[in-house]
Amino acid sequence: MSRKIYLSLDTTARSRGTDLVAAQVEKKLKAQPELNGKLIRNGSRGMFWLEPLLEISTPKGRVAYGPVAASDVSAILNQQCFDDVIEHPLCLGFTEQLPWLKSQQRLTFARVGVIDPVDVEDYINHDGFVGLTNALAKTAQQLVDQVKESGLRGRGGAAFPTGIKWQTVLDEPEQQKYIVCNADEGDSGTFADRMLMEGDPFVLIEGMIIAGLSVGANQGYIYLRSEYPQAHHILKLAIKNAEKAGYLGQNIAGSQHHFALEVRLGAGAYICGEETSLLESLEGKRGLVRAKPPLPAIEGLFGQPTVVNNVISLASVPYILTHGGAKYRDYGMGRSRGTLPVQLAGNIAQGGLVELAFGISLNQLLQQYGNGTKSKRAMSSIQVGGPLGAYLPSEQWDTPLDYEAFSSIGAVLGHGGIVVFDDTVDMAAQARFAMEFCEVESCGKCTPCRIGAVRGVEVIDKLLAGNNSEAQRQDHLSLLHDLCDTMEFGSLCAMGGMTPFPVRSALKYFPDHFVTPPLNHEDQVND
Amino acid sequence: MAVINEQGLQQIAEIIKQHQMLAGAMLPILHAIQNSVAFIPDNAMPLIAKALNVSRAEVHGVVSFYHHFRTEKPGNHVIEVCRGESCQAMGSRTLERAIKSKLAIDYHQTSSDQQYTLEPVYCLGNCACSPAIRIGDDIHGEVDPGKFEQILDALTTYSLELK
């Protein structure tokens, strides 16, 4: 048996040069066949500041080296490296023992960065398809009950209880039903869906098959954003391999059940992450948001009952069916059960993926995993939950990661993206950008969002123009607040309804950024 | 809006035939056309409309709704610059100014030598290594103006394989 060497094919790992290192490893293995090594391209462990992370399998566990350059390969790869930890400046020790990784609770991401993402056998060797096997022995109602018991809530951001959504679809009379995976991960600062699809696509596929069994659906679609070419490539390959192995198509895993799965690409519209807009897009139309009711669970894709779930929600299901809903529910706090894959992004020294039970505070998380800003300056503001999430000032960083705790301070946890800004940030420019983003990405169906965003940019520009009297300033401010109210309460969906969150939080907690703008306002930022 | 010649239209008719039986075939067809000829030609829209039994206005409506689809031939390299907050936190505003100035074009424009088209993009999911840009299917992280110049140099340098 050949000895295994691992390098990631994850988008971010590749952006840090894993392909160059991989080429060098292949070259070395070819030149020295006596090493008997085999290179496997896997997902990433999520320690992106250590990429390219080279891992070598030894009898004592995998040993990590990083960040590795192509020129380091020759010195690392020798006979000794396959036996144990070796003396090398880039040697980090056993991967599983690295505190950053060891302290996490990786339930959903258990296999990401570990297995070959498109090898069905490797997946099965790591407890893959156990959940599906268990599911095949249960009735649809028992499956839905397991998911309800787990307390799983939609990880896309809206946090709606997954079991209740599934129950609604199950309760619809027998007819064509669909499972749609929302893989339109558009929030800046989030990449958990991408990492999962690139690192362990089978867990998503397994989750979708179980969802199909639970509600009586035999067709699934993954709606993937076009900005993720690598995830697209890997998903297509994984689906093909799952079909070949009998896990997709007719009589899945030798049962009487059928489930077909297809990936469909979006086309660069943020709004298509909103579930009804996504369904319109899948049907081949403009991604205009639908008024609810009817709920997609009752009239969804092509008018049929449809489960629309985020990637992480669906990928959490195999764990629940493997270990039981109660085991999953044991993690977390309050009404936020299980784990949340948090993404550390923006100006942060150790950016990456941290999967933990709900409940840890933002401060603890940053101290334990973030290691300060990349710029070495002080952190000043943190945006949680994507472009529609509030900016949190330092006094709010003790908030625990919990849907309700965030909601109580006017913020959102969303999809778990955490974007750190240092003290050079211009919060007025960030508030303006929130409105500008809404202007670009609004679907245009409802007026508060379509027109409100345009007026929002205008009034912030007037506010920052620098030639206002105090009375004019107050006028602009009150107009802006009024506009935020109109958008929040009058918009059809979260796009217009939540754009005020970043704007209001910037105004409230960073008021001095809006007072005396420097002359070259835009130029101040990050220069 | 740009059109395509007769030979290109035949190619597009073939693509439409391959995809039209899919449920919700519109986006798959548009993607396949753009992947094949780099844009959605104006004279392809009636063919799509006919195949899917919708009006030409509906096809145009879909094409114009999505940022990804373009109706003009782009440059040889489409450069997408991420404008998301994570990239802003790492200096993308400076980067985008440097890129625009280097290429002497603004967003949605193509350089006069037909080499580059510049587009904004809202998140490439590379947020642990911001700021990010995408060229073709390659995603580059931790880009600053200096690194951008290197990437650009690499794009214009062709390696010749001697046999």
Side-chain angles (χ1 to χ4, degrees):
Chain A
M1 214 171 91
S2 52
R3 304 186 288 191
K4 288 171 181 164
I5 303 159
Y6 297 88
L7 271 168
S8 178
L9 45 59
D10 173 280
T11 296
T12 299
R14 290 180 70 209
S15 85
R16 284 183 58 90
T18 47
D19 287 353
L20 291 174
V21 181
Q24 194 60 37
V25 169
E26 294 286 16
K27 207 168 141 190
K28 170 100 174 167
L29 293 178
K30 207 169 164 192
Q32 282 178 267
E34 70 277 11
L35 285 174
N36 191 24
K38 184 179 180 225
L39 177 65
I40 292 169
R41 301 298 301 270
N42 60 355
S44 173
R45 299 272 191 171
M47 303 180 285
F48 289 118
W49 72 100
L50 293 176
E51 293 286 357
L53 184 81
L54 180 82
E55 286 185 88
I56 296 173
S57 193
T58 76
K60 297 175 183 171
R62 286 188 199 174
V63 178
Y65 301 82
V68 173
S71 54
D72 298 317
V73 168
S74 201
I76 296 172
L77 283 190
N78 54 41
Q79 290 295 350
Q80 288 72 42
C81 77
F82 295 102
D83 298 331
D84 204 338
V85 171
I86 60 165
E87 283 287 329
H88 189 280
L90 294 178
C91 183
L92 304 162
F94 295 104
T95 320
E96 308 279 351
Q97 298 303 320
L98 296 173
W100 198 88
L101 209 54
K102 201 183 171 188
S103 58
Q104 296 191 30
Q105 289 147 320
R106 291 208 167 181
L107 311 185
T108 308
F109 277 73
R111 281 173 291 253
V112 175
V114 177
I115 64 166
D116 179 339
V118 293
D119 183 348
V120 176
E121 208 175 306
D122 206 6
Y123 181 66
I124 292 170
N125 288 339
H126 288 81
D127 302 328
F129 292 124
V130 174
L132 176 63
T133 308
N134 293 345
L136 284 168
K138 287 182 163 52
T139 66
Q141 187 59 56
Q142 284 172 330
L143 293 176
V144 173
D145 289 343
Q146 279 286 305
V147 175
K148 277 187 195 162
E149 191 187 4
S150 74
L152 179 66
R153 292 164 73 184
R155 295 286 186 261
F160 187 82
T162 307
I164 294 182
K165 193 182 268 187
W166 288 19
Q167 186 70 60
T168 313
V169 179
L170 173 61
D171 289 345
E172 285 299 296
E174 208 173 299
Q175 58 191 299
Q176 178 65 58
K177 298 177 185 180
Y178 295 104
I179 308 296
V180 172
C181 170
N182 184 345
D184 196 29
E185 184 179 49
D187 288 354
S188 171
T190 66
F191 45 81
D193 294 353
R194 180 187 60 66
M195 272 186 71
L196 188 111
M197 291 184 286
E198 291 175 355
D200 189 13
F202 293 128
V203 78
L204 172 60
I205 293 171
E206 185 181 351
M208 290 185 75
I209 300 170
I210 296 171
L213 297 174
S214 303
V215 303
N218 63 6
Q219 173 71 48
Y221 292 99
I222 300 173
Y223 185 88
L224 177 72
R225 59 200 304 261
S226 57
E227 290 85 345
Y228 284 178
Q230 179 72 343
H232 187 215
H233 170 70
I234 293 170
L235 277 175
K236 281 192 299 187
L237 211 54
I239 290 175
K240 211 166 100 188
N241 291 349
E243 282 169 352
K244 264 194 245 161
Y247 287 99
L248 284 175
Q250 300 290 313
N251 302 102
I252 42 163
S255 72
Q256 296 304 306
H257 299 278
H258 315 306
F259 193 76
L261 184 57
E262 229 183 280
V263 192
R264 288 292 176 87
L265 273 190
Y270 176 77
I271 194 61
C272 290
E274 197 283 335
E275 60 176 2
T276 62
S277 162
L278 184 156
L279 294 173
E280 289 285 300
S281 182
L282 261 183
E283 290 181 9
K285 303 172 191 159
R286 292 162 70 90
L288 292 188
V289 172
R290 295 178 186 170
K292 285 192 269 194
L295 293 170
I298 292 165
E299 275 182 48
L301 186 62
F302 303 114
Q304 301 301 116
T306 304
V307 167
V308 186
N309 277 147
N310 166 260
V311 173
I312 304 296
S313 313
L314 288 162
S316 301
V317 169
Y319 180 91
I320 292 165
L321 264 296
T322 302
H323 302 277
K327 175 98 193 225
Y328 189 79
R329 197 191 49 204
D330 284 347
Y331 293 90
M333 72 171 275
R335 289 177 51 219
S336 308
R337 310 312 310 179
T339 57
L340 180 70
V342 174
Q343 301 117 89
L344 297 179
N347 194 340
I348 187 119
Q350 295 185 171
L353 185 119
V354 181
E355 183 177 351
L356 284 174
F358 287 93
I360 188 173
S361 77
L362 203 48
N363 255 332
Q364 273 174 291
L365 182 75
L366 292 168
Q367 278 162 16
Q368 200 175 336
Y369 299 95
N371 197 24
T373 60
K374 216 178 245 181
S375 59
K376 310 267 184 238
R377 300 180 65 102
M379 288 186 191
S380 113
S381 161
I382 299 178
Q383 188 179 33
V384 183
L388 308 177
Y391 285 96
L392 309 188
S394 56
E395 61 262 35
Q396 291 183 330
W397 298 349
D398 56 358
T399 311
L401 298 189
D402 163 58
Y403 294 119
E404 278 65 41
F406 265 68
S407 163
S408 73
I409 58 164
V412 288
L413 200 45
H415 187 49
I418 292 177
V419 178
V420 176
F421 290 80
D422 73 11
D423 57 1
T424 61
V425 67
D426 179 342
M427 291 306 296
Q430 296 309 122
R432 184 189 188 278
F433 177 78
M435 287 291 188
E436 189 189 347
F437 181 68
C438 184
E439 184 186 336
V440 175
E441 297 295 341
S442 173
C443 84
K445 182 159 178 166
C446 73
T447 316
C449 177
R450 183 184 68 245
I451 307 287
V454 180
R455 295 289 171 260
V457 172
E458 285 171 6
V459 70
I460 293 176
D461 279 345
K462 282 183 192 163
L463 182 66
L464 300 176
N467 51 2
N468 293 308
S469 68
E470 187 51 28
Q472 283 172 318
R473 233 184 73 77
Q474 290 307 325
D475 277 352
H476 294 322
L477 276 173
S478 87
L479 195 61
L480 183 55
H481 281 293
D482 197 38
L483 186 66
C484 283
D485 282 342
T486 306
M487 290 176 75
E488 182 176 348
F489 300 114
S491 298
L492 199 52
C493 80
M495 177 89 234
M498 284 170 59
T499 291
F501 283 32
V503 178
R504 278 212 187 99
S505 57
L507 281 168
K508 185 169 175 188
Y509 299 111
F510 304 90
D512 49 324
H513 289 229
F514 293 82
V515 178
T516 44
L519 278 177
N520 294 316
H521 193 77
E522 273 275 292
D523 295 349
Q524 270 281 308
V525 183
N526 294 318
D527 274 1
Chain B
M1 287 196 290
V3 293
I4 198 163
N5 62 22
E6 194 52 42
Q7 194 192 347
L9 266 189
Q10 276 175 17
Q11 195 184 337
I12 286 170
E14 196 51 45
I15 290 171
I16 295 172
K17 218 159 87 188
Q18 280 165 17
H19 293 85
Q20 72 182 95
M21 297 317 287
L22 290 172
M26 180 76 86
L27 264 68
I29 287 175
L30 294 175
H31 273 296
I33 292 174
Q34 186 156 304
N35 283 346
S36 165
V37 300
F39 68 111
I40 312 291
D42 195 30
N43 50 347
M45 293 196 203
L47 301 185
I48 303 169
K50 192 158 180 235
L52 299 183
N53 199 22
V54 295
S55 71
R56 288 165 64 176
E58 278 172 275
V59 179
H60 179 262
V62 172
V63 171
S64 60
F65 182 85
Y66 296 95
H67 303 306
H68 180 79
F69 297 127
R70 58 177 69 92
T71 51
E72 299 290 339
K73 198 170 174 11
N76 289 337
H77 305 284
V78 177
I79 301 176
E80 294 173 277
V81 182
C82 181
R83 297 194 70 216
E85 284 86 347
S86 178
C87 288
Q88 290 169 18
M90 286 306 293
S92 66
R93 290 175 204 238
T94 307
L95 176 68
E96 75 181 348
R97 273 198 302 274
I99 291 177
K100 286 177 184 178
S101 140
K102 172 77 189 171
L103 302 179
I105 44 174
D106 204 339
Y107 285 133
H108 313 299
Q109 292 180 350
T110 298
S111 61
S112 53
D113 60 0
Q114 293 296 312
Q115 276 300 309
Y116 307 106
T117 296
L118 193 61
E119 296 288 348
V121 63
Y122 294 89
C123 199
L124 294 165
N126 203 37
C127 321
C129 295
S130 294
I133 66 170
R134 173 179 175 180
I135 304 175
D137 277 352
D138 290 330
I139 287 158
H140 303 266
E142 294 154 302
V143 183
D144 58 20
K147 185 168 173 184
F148 177 74
E149 300 229 352
Q150 289 171 12
I151 295 168
L152 212 55
D153 282 347
L155 273 185
T156 47
T157 312
Y158 297 95
S159 58
L160 283 177
E161 210 171 303
L162 297 173
K163 289 190 179 155

